[in-house]
Amino acid sequence: MEQRALRADAARNVEQLRAAAIAAFRGRGLDTPLDEVAKAAGVSKATIYNRFGGRQGLIDAVIGELVAVEMTGAMERAAKVADPWERVAAYVTDCRDLHYREPVAGDVVMMRFPDSPELMRLCVAATDAGEEFMRQAHAAGVVRPDFTVGDLYHAFIEGCLALRHWPKPPREDYDRRTRFLLDGMRAR
């Protein structure tokens, strides 16, 4: 009977930690101090290590809810667009929108936590999708031949770094810069 109570407490702690981690990471990124997560969950930091093995396990437990659904949605929406230019433009726009709204998406793009298998799976899926969309756009001649998929990811990373380390620009300025990026990518 005592073991059941402990299991219920442990299950409650896990759910409290998951909820606290999602709340703490959302809008701030995956490097939010674990002390803050534990405090918000009403448990000790040691409980994170006992239940999740540390930051990596905690990230793996919440990354899906934080950004995987939205990132996967961006890939799926773009894949459904018939026109190769519109496909790339939709993907870039959706990704940049997510980067602006959710710093965790930037953590994924920048592979900030490479020991997290779930984060890395998401990063690889996004990279593969972007590479395929760019390959199709190049084949159709709608993207500048000298604009590479590497250029696209550097633009994403640079944007994510700027969002993380500089004051966040007004949304209209950010969207204008997305249009500049797209204009620079497009074949003339």
Side-chain angles (χ1 to χ4, degrees), residues 17-187:
L17 277 167
R18 284 187 81 262
I22 289 167
F25 293 158
R26 185 165 277 139
R28 293 179 59 199
L30 297 172
D31 57 355
T32 300
L34 293 181
D35 289 332
E36 292 180 26
V37 174
K39 183 178 179 182
V43 299
S44 72
K45 185 177 171 182
T47 305
I48 294 172
Y49 289 90
N50 290 336
R51 297 295 169 211
F52 296 99
R55 184 178 299 275
Q56 173 187 323
L58 190 57
I59 289 170
D60 288 342
V62 300
I63 195 78
E65 193 169 335
L66 282 168
V67 293
V69 171
E70 287 190 82
M71 289 181 79
T72 301
M75 293 178 250
E76 290 171 352
R77 281 189 300 280
K80 291 177 184 176
V81 176
D83 179 82
W85 170 252
E86 294 301 324
R87 184 179 309 122
V88 167
Y91 185 66
V92 168
T93 301
D94 277 357
C95 287
R96 291 217 3 125
D97 171 64
L98 184 56
H99 300 162
Y100 184 84
R101 291 183 293 104
E102 183 49 69
V104 172
D107 291 337
V108 173
V109 169
M110 294 185 289
M111 295 184 267
R112 291 199 61 228
F113 297 92
D115 292 334
S116 166
E118 294 302 315
L119 183 144
M120 292 307 294
R121 268 193 277 285
L122 185 55
C123 182
V124 167
T127 300
D128 289 349
E131 287 176 357
E132 179 60 16
F133 300 150
M134 286 290 290
R135 186 195 63 70
Q136 294 166 354
H138 277 121
V142 295
V143 170
R144 290 172 50 153
D146 61 338
F147 190 88
T148 68
V149 72
D151 294 327
L152 176 60
Y153 286 104
H154 276 271
F156 281 174
I157 289 167
E158 290 162 3
C160 291
L161 286 169
L163 288 168
R164 181 172 286 275
H165 297 292
W166 288 3
K168 194 172 192 176
R171 184 61 197 239
E172 57 274 4
D173 289 350
Y174 187 81
D175 289 344
R176 181 173 48 84
R177 291 179 188 119
T178 298
R179 289 190 301 274
F180 288 157
L181 171 61
L182 290 169
D183 287 346
M185 292 171 58
R186 192 165 194 169

